[in-house]
């Protein structure tokens, strides 16, 4: 089985290297052919320009201008066939025709012609007219074609390849050679065309075009491909054998040893292998073998410590579970909390983001007629926030039960929490004391969220006013408080920032608008049902995103005697 795995590894190396060698060889052949082909085309094109230059010296400037003028007039119907025939039959024109025919035959060219172009027509290619053989921007002055049947005369017009238009226009404007034109199709096979502009008085007047067949291109290219392929294949085969042998010695064998020894380590109750240390390849494989050897030793050490670590983790987990229960037991959890009192209805809940949290709520009687409501949020999360929460909750309740006003309670608690607060934790608090006989209350808000109120037959709305700083931020703070009055049927809803700042997977906040929408969804709901509606709305909004903050809410409904509404 092991030998089969090593054979597979060698096979993979062989296939990959064979593919790479073939790819490199093919690339070399392709590049070589392109270079060779371009060299041949360049050689033929230079021949074409040499011939075009020689032909340009057959004419005088006046002859060229005269021939061009007559050809253009014939195209525009300003000259007739009689005038054209007179020039063509003239001794000088016949002499020039004979000279160019001789030049074409001596060099084996397909075509040599002297021409001009209708630049306006050349600049506006019309595919539809071209398909009907009606787009002919080329105007012949003299033509020598190897097939007399298709030879054109003075004044005749013809088409050109559309892809050459831009280069011809540039050559016309600049007076320099056009690009070399290579055609690999047509009745004459591979051809190249040299297009030489003739400039008279600083202006391009006519062109000399020489089309040469490249008869040896296909034959020479095939021979070149065969020779370079054979040479590259032999060299590649030799390199392939050398690389395979090298990889087998420096890669495959060490990896085989690493595989067998690591398997043995797992099968022999984690006994460290000594053979791995014998791998000396002086490369990454040796580094890998040394790392595996060290890893085996670390695994043994880790296993020895794992039991201790696991036991410690279980102990911490148990303690956190106990802490969670202790924290939950500190908050009022029995509802209704005061079954003998029917002046109000109250319900609250707290869901920590971690095992323990920093949010807390509380409600208790200061005396037989005054009920205190507390909603608070300690900065931070986890155990530190939970410890600070315990201290803050205890201090607030103890001080409030002494009968002080909410502002006095927060002032005194602030001074006590600021002492020795090296962790710089703080707590936002909403504290209210309500006379359950009259519905009149006093509240102080130390940096906490705005409370929500719902008047009888109305809707839940935020109560926005200026807050005091959070508790434990600075010493000697004086906290503001304000009075309010609840009428029978009025409701209060207080919460921590875990509700409006709940975040979905796109980091979008839940917000107070969605919270108010959830509260107003069922205005006839009980206090417990109200909190369930908000929690369901938050869960639906957050989805699978993790809970980052404690989620704490309290709903209070005043059910006292009916009285006039007071603001």
């Amino acid at each position: 089985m092991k030998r089969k795995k090593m054979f597979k590894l060698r096979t993979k190396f062989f296939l990959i290297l064979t593919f790479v060698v073939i790819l490199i060889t093919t690339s070399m052949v392709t590049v070589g052919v392109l270079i060779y082909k371009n060299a041949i085309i360049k050689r033929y094109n230079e021949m074409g320009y040499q011939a075009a230059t020689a032909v340009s010296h057959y004419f005088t400037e006046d002859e060229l201008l005269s021939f061009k003028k007559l050809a253009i007039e014939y195209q525009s119907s300003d000259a007739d066939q009689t005038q054209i025939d007179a020039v063509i039959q003239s001794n000088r024109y016949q002499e020039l025709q004979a000279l160019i025919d001789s030049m074409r035959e001596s060099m084996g060219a397909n075509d040599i012609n002297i021409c001009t172009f209708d630049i306006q027509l050349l600049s506006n290619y019309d595919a539809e007219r071209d398909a009907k053989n009606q787009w002919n921007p080329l105007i012949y002055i003299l033509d020598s074609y190897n097939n007399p049947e298709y030879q054109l005369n003075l004044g005749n017009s013809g088409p050109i390849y559309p892809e050459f238009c831009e280069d011809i226009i540039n050559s016309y404007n600049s007076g320099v050679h056009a690009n070399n034109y290579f055609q690999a199709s047509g009745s004459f096979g591979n051809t190249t065309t040299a297009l030489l502009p003739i400039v008279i008085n600083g202006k391009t007047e006519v062109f000399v075009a020489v089309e040469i067949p490249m008869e040896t291109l296909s034959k020479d290219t095939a021979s070149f491909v065969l020779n370079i392929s054979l040479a590259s294949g032999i060299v590649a085969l030799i390199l392939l054998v050398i690389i395979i042998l090298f990889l087998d010695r420096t890669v495959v064998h060490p990896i085989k040893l690493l595989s067998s020894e690591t398997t043995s380590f797992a099968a022999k109750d984690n006994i460290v292998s000594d053979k791995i240390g014998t791998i000396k390849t002086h490369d990454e494989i040796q580094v890998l073998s040394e790392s595996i050897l060290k890893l085996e030793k670390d695994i043994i050490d880790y296993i020895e410590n794992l039991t201790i670590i696991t036991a410690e983790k279980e102990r911490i987990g148990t303690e956190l579970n106990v802490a969670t229960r202790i924290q939950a037991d500190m908050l009022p959890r029995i509802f209704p909390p005061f079954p003998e009192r029917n002046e109000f209805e109250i319900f609250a809940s707290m869901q920590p983001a971690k095992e323990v949290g920093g949010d807390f709520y509380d409600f208790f009687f200061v005396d037989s007629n005054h009920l205190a409501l507390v909603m608070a949020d300690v900065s931070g999360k986890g155990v530190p926030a939970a410890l600070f929460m315990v201290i803050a909750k205890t201090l607030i309740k103890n001080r409030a039960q002494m009968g002080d006003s909410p502002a006095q309670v927060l002032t005194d608690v602030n001074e006590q929490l600021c002492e020795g607060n090296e962790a710089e934790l703080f707590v936002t608090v909403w504290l209210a004391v309500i006379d359950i006989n009259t519905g009149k209350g006093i509240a102080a808000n130390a940096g906490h969220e705005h409370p929500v109120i719902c008047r009888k037959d109305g809707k839940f709305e935020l109560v926005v006013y200026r807050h005091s700083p959070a508790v434990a931020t600075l010493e000697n703070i004086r906290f503001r408080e304000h009075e309010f009055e609840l009428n029978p049927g009025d409701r209060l809803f207080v919460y921590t920032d875990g509700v409006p700042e709940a975040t979905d997977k796109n980091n979008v906040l839940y917000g107070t608008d969605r919270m108010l929408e959830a509260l107003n969804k069922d205005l006839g709901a009980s206090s417990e049902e109200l909190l369930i509606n908000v929690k369901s709305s938050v869960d639906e909004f957050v989805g699978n995103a993790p809970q980052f903050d404690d989620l704490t809410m309290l709903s209070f409904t005043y059910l006292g005697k009916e009285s006039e509404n007071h603001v």
Side-chain angles (χ1 to χ4, degrees), residues 42-116:
K42 182 179 179 181
R43 185 183 69 186
Y44 275 99
N45 201 254
E46 288 176 350
M47 291 172 54
Y49 273 114
Q50 290 173 1
T53 302
V55 169
S56 68
H57 293 153
Y58 293 166
F59 297 82
T60 66
E61 293 183 351
D62 291 339
E63 285 176 336
L64 288 173
L65 293 175
S66 174
F67 291 154
K68 174 184 177 181
K69 181 175 181 295
L70 180 58
I72 292 175
E73 288 177 350
Y74 180 74
Q75 282 293 313
S76 61
S77 300
D78 292 333
D80 56 23
Q81 187 63 44
T82 302
Q83 294 173 281
I84 293 293
D85 291 341
V87 173
I88 292 175
Q89 294 170 6
S90 67
N91 292 334
R92 176 57 180 164
Y93 193 88
Q94 290 296 320
E95 178 186 356
L96 292 170
Q97 182 74 57
L99 288 173
I100 295 175
D101 287 344
S102 177
M103 170 69 77
R104 177 184 56 74
E105 292 174 358
S106 65
M107 67 180 301
N110 288 337
D111 184 24
I112 298 177
N113 65 73
I114 297 86
C115 62
T116 187

Side-chain angles (χ1 to χ4, degrees), residues 213-469:
M214 296 183 289
E215 299 173 351
T216 64
L217 182 60
S218 299
K219 186 171 90 173
D220 290 352
T221 301
S223 175
F224 178 80
V225 170
L226 179 62
N227 293 333
I228 194 172
S229 298
L230 288 175
S232 300
I234 294 172
V235 173
L237 182 61
I238 295 173
L239 289 176
L240 181 62
V241 173
I242 294 174
I243 293 173
I244 287 293
L245 293 175
F246 174 77
L247 290 175
D248 188 70
R249 179 181 179 85
T250 60
V251 178
V252 176
H253 179 70
I255 290 179
K256 178 180 177 181
L257 180 60
L258 283 174
S259 176
S260 62
E261 292 304 309
T262 51
T263 302
S264 177
F265 172 77
K268 294 180 180 179
D269 297 328
N270 302 322
I271 299 176
V272 177
S273 171
D274 295 329
K275 293 183 180 180
I276 294 179
T278 63
I279 297 176
K280 303 295 181 183
T281 57
H282 305 290
D283 55 19
E284 289 81 0
I285 293 181
Q286 180 176 336
V287 174
L288 176 62
S289 65
E290 292 171 352
S291 299
I292 291 176
L293 188 61
K294 182 178 182 301
L295 179 61
E296 289 180 355
K297 295 177 181 179
D298 290 342
I299 288 175
I300 292 175
D301 293 338
Y302 175 76
I303 292 175
E304 292 176 352
N305 295 326
L306 184 59
T307 303
I308 299 174
I309 295 172
T310 302
E312 181 66 16
K313 185 177 181 181
E314 291 177 352
R315 183 187 64 81
I316 294 173
T318 301
E319 292 180 355
L320 282 175
N321 289 334
V322 173
T324 301
R325 290 196 299 269
I326 292 174
Q327 185 182 38
D329 291 340
M330 291 187 65
L331 303 180
R333 293 191 301 165
I334 299 176
F335 298 96
F338 311 108
E340 73 282 359
R341 308 301 295 262
N342 56 10
E343 297 95 335
F344 59 89
E345 179 186 84
I346 191 168
F347 193 87
S349 66
M350 195 274 280
Q351 180 180 346
K354 295 186 177 180
E355 288 82 357
V356 290
D359 284 7
F360 67 92
Y361 65 85
D362 203 357
F363 45 83
F364 48 86
F365 275 99
V366 175
D367 54 39
S368 61
N369 295 324
H370 291 85
L371 178 69
L373 303 179
V374 183
M375 179 62 62
D377 182 4
V378 176
S379 61
K381 301 177 184 66
V383 175
L387 293 175
F388 201 78
M389 164 260 184
V390 171
I391 298 172
K393 179 181 179 301
T394 303
L395 291 175
I396 291 173
K397 184 172 183 178
N398 290 344
R399 187 64 183 177
Q401 287 182 327
M402 295 174 64
D404 290 336
S405 68
Q408 291 172 330
V409 172
L410 295 183
T411 299
D412 184 69
V413 171
N414 179 69
E415 297 304 315
Q416 295 182 68
L417 290 179
C418 283
E419 295 178 4
N421 186 15
E422 296 181 0
E424 297 183 349
L425 296 173
F426 61 87
V427 56
T428 64
V429 182
W430 179 85
L431 171 62
V433 177
I434 303 173
D435 186 335
I436 62 174
N437 288 330
T438 64
K440 294 182 179 181
I442 301 176
N445 193 327
H448 200 73
E449 299 294 317
H450 295 296
V452 179
I453 191 168
C454 177
R455 298 296 183 182
K456 183 179 180 181
D457 300 327
K459 290 187 176 182
F460 283 95
E461 298 176 348
L462 286 176
V463 181
V464 180
Y465 52 88
R466 188 176 180 183
H467 296 173
S468 300

